[in-house]
Amino acid sequence: MTRRRRSRVAWCSLALRSLVVLVVPGDMVAQSDQPAQSVVSAELNGVVRARFGARLDPLHDALVELTTVEGRYTTRSDSDGRYALVGLPGGAARLRVTRVGHAPLDLTVRLPSTGTLDLDLELTATPMLLPGVRVEARGESDASAPDDQNVPAPDPLFELRRLELSPGVVESGVVDAVMGMSGNEPADPSDVLFMRGSTTDLKLVLLDGVPVYAPFHVGGLLKSFEPSRLASADFHVGGAPARYDGGLTHILDLETRTARRDRTRASATVDLLSSAVVLEQPLGDRAGVLVSARSLHDAGTRVLGGGSSPYGYSDVLGTLNADVGTAGSIRLTGFRNQESVVLDYPDGPGDARWGNRAITGTWRHQVGSAELQATVGASRYDARLPLQSTSTDDDPTPSTIVASAENARARVVLESGWRNRGLPIRAGLSFENQTLAYEADRLDESSRLRRGGARSVVGGYVDGSYTVFPGVTVRTGLRGD
């Protein structure tokens, strides 16, 4: 005769962050004539669902992670949203469920010593913001030409727009320049063929008073500027003083330091990636020269058995400071940098190059409580970028397009500053002339696109600031251009 004892089954529900939990206690044991089979570990399973608005659908490929005192257990939900973790120890454990595009779920659960714990999980979908994409194509053909000559060529505008989608290569300024050919000028004439990391769109980087572009290197193997060569670096994010005429939201104003005049100093460093040389030379008691040069090389890759590096960089920075007695002091600065990335194109030149050339002179003179300053400078930014054309059935081997851009700026700034009762006030006048040119050529000389422009700007400003108490400064100013 077989005796059966009816086990009591307890059902309970647990609500955690819209979580439905079905718990079946692990002490439910069925007795029969056969020897009892003991369960030696716990099991966790259930269904993962995703909620988007009013919809609730099974969620596949959700990562389920359970952390216990004995280790970490992971699994992924299947196409029906089901998951299962077996061989678990009893006791408290931490459960985390994640899925791309959904808010993660974290909770603490208590596993039975033996048996199964059913957990139905629900994740809330969260939108992923992506940048907008616009693709345009324009083409012209001569209908009167013979059929064998009326071959559609890849459109440069489409090529540039497609290249814009490639991360880490180029920004959209060159496209804006091309689109301006119909009569619509770009929003800012300086937005032309800037490499990733450049300061475009209401951003400004000044080196001793002249703008430089793309100062943040693509490779990131060297500092943009060596801190030991700089005397100051003023960084403004919003609330910029009125004296800056080229940026509103991101301004970096760099000033080189004066060479020490006690003795000659020279140093050189070489590592597996780069080399640098620094020279400080006094010119009597009232003047000094500071010159530095840096470059990348392939010595490290050769030592380690690798190939040539596709990235190149070099720069030279020189400063001359001199005191001219009662006439004040002068500073002359020259800067040159060149950056390049090799593009493995099967035909034509395969490297993108860009860089700056800048020269500036500053005169300062103290007259009573006023400091007079005059800055005259010029800078030039050049960039060159090969673009591999798209092949078509009619033209399987189109010629490579080489795009180039030049942006030259010359500026004069006259200003004076006063400090009266702890209230610094600065006023000045500025003049700047800017020219730019954009060009796209096919290597086979079948087509060429050119665009150029120039502008001159005269401006005046006055600004002041007052420190209310440490950490709080009020600044006001007015500028007209």
Side-chain angles (χ1 to χ4, degrees):
M1 178 177 180
T2 302
R3 292 193 336 176
R4 298 180 180 272
R5 183 174 63 188
R6 184 182 304 273
S7 301
R8 292 181 301 167
V9 181
W11 300 85
C12 64
S13 62
L14 175 65
L16 284 176
R17 294 169 61 180
S18 301
L19 172 68
V20 180
V21 180
L22 178 62
V23 180
V24 181
D27 59 353
M28 182 179 70
V29 180
Q31 294 185 354
S32 63
D33 294 335
Q34 301 297 329
Q37 302 292 328
S38 61
V39 180
V40 296
S41 61
E43 179 179 345
L44 176 66
N45 57 38
V47 178
V48 182
R49 296 182 176 89
R51 176 173 294 279
F52 187 81
R55 293 183 53 185
L56 190 63
D57 300 317
L59 184 62
H60 63 87
D61 289 331
L63 179 61
V64 182
E65 302 175 272
L66 186 72
T67 304
T68 69
V69 294
E70 296 189 6
R72 180 169 168 266
Y73 305 82
T74 62
T75 187
R76 289 187 179 274
S77 58
D78 60 16
S79 58
D80 296 324
R82 298 187 178 277
Y83 72 96
L85 292 170
V86 298
L88 307 177
R94 188 69 179 173
L95 181 66
R96 179 175 176 83
V97 186
T98 56
R99 175 67 156 80
V100 174
H102 299 75
L105 177 64
D106 291 278
L107 65 153
T108 301
V109 298
R110 181 169 293 277
L111 300 170
S113 58
T114 60
T116 302
L117 178 62
D118 294 330
L119 294 179
D120 290 342
L121 309 171
E122 181 179 310
L123 302 184
T124 301
T126 56
M128 299 179 63
L129 299 179
L130 299 176
V133 176
R134 183 178 67 179
V135 178
E136 295 185 5
R138 299 176 185 174
E140 297 181 358
S141 60
D142 186 0
S144 63
D147 292 340
D148 58 350
Q149 296 182 8
N150 190 16
V151 178
D155 186 80
L157 178 59
F158 176 75
E159 291 301 312
L160 300 176
R161 183 62 75 180
R162 185 185 69 164
L163 185 64
E164 184 186 359
L165 304 180
S166 303
V169 178
V170 72
E171 290 182 346
S172 60
V174 68
V175 183
D176 295 334
V178 179
M179 295 179 65
M181 293 191 64
S182 61
N184 297 321
E185 294 292 342
D188 186 345
S190 64
D191 291 346
V192 179
L193 199 61
F194 292 139
M195 300 302 148
R196 183 72 65 186
S198 66
T199 53
T200 64
D201 299 334
L202 300 180
K203 299 176 183 178
L204 177 68
V205 177
L206 296 174
L207 179 63
D208 283 352
V210 295
V212 293
Y213 295 104
F216 310 118
H217 311 151
V218 171
L221 302 178
L222 294 173
K223 297 181 177 67
S224 297
F225 295 95
E226 285 293 339
S228 61
R229 316 293 187 269
L230 301 177
S232 65
D234 294 331
F235 182 55
H236 301 275
V237 181
R243 66 178 179 271
Y244 296 114
D245 59 342
L248 294 177
T249 62
H250 179 125
I251 296 175
L252 182 61
D253 190 357
L254 304 174
E255 184 175 335
T256 57
R257 72 173 176 87
T258 302
R260 290 169 286 188
R261 303 172 187 176
D262 55 344
R263 59 185 175 86
T264 300
R265 289 179 171 85
S267 64
T269 59
V270 179
D271 56 31
L272 294 179
L273 292 175
S274 63
S275 59
V277 177
V278 180
L279 173 63
E280 286 186 79
Q281 177 63 48
L283 302 177
D285 297 333
R286 294 188 174 184
V289 176
L290 172 62
V291 179
S292 66
R294 303 182 300 171
S295 67
L296 295 176
H297 54 72
D298 294 330
T301 56
R302 293 175 182 174
V303 170
L304 299 177
S308 299
S309 171
Y311 175 69
Y313 180 83
S314 63
D315 67 22
V316 177
L317 175 63
T319 303
L320 167 65
N321 293 88
D323 298 329
V324 288
T326 58
S329 64
I330 60 173
R331 177 186 62 202
L332 300 177
T333 303
F335 176 69
R336 176 77 167 96
N337 75 333
Q338 184 74 45
E339 197 168 359
S340 63
V341 174
V342 174
L343 305 178
D344 188 15
Y345 288 162
D347 59 334
D351 59 331
R353 299 194 304 267
W354 61 99
N356 293 274
R357 285 173 287 176
I359 184 170
T360 178
T362 302
W363 169 78
R364 287 192 177 100
H365 184 50
Q366 192 75 31
V367 180
S369 62
E371 182 186 57
L372 306 179
Q373 178 174 308
T375 301
V376 179
S379 62
R380 182 186 178 102
Y381 175 79
D382 299 278
R384 177 182 181 275
L385 182 65
L387 306 174
Q388 188 67 32
S389 302
T390 302
S391 60
T392 63
D393 294 337
D394 297 326
D395 190 3
T397 58
S399 177
T400 299
I401 300 174
V402 178
S404 60
E406 299 175 355
N407 184 0
R409 304 177 74 164
R411 57 193 287 128
V412 178
V413 180
L414 304 175
E415 58 185 358
S416 178
W418 300 268
R419 181 178 295 272
N420 185 15
R421 297 181 181 179
L423 179 63
I425 299 176
R426 186 188 296 260
L429 298 172
S430 65
F431 169 80
E432 181 178 87
N433 176 263
Q434 182 178 12
T435 61
L436 65 92
Y438 166 79
E439 185 173 310
D441 295 290
R442 292 192 180 276
L443 293 184
D444 61 3
E445 300 182 354
S446 61
S447 62
R448 172 172 292 181
L449 176 67
R450 288 183 175 179
R451 179 69 172 169
R455 69 172 184 177
S456 296
V457 179
V458 177
Y461 69 88
V462 59
D463 66 36
S465 62
Y466 179 73
T467 301
V468 182
F469 52 83
V472 177
T473 301
V474 177
R475 177 183 292 121
T476 182
L478 178 66
R479 180 178 186 92
D481 288 295

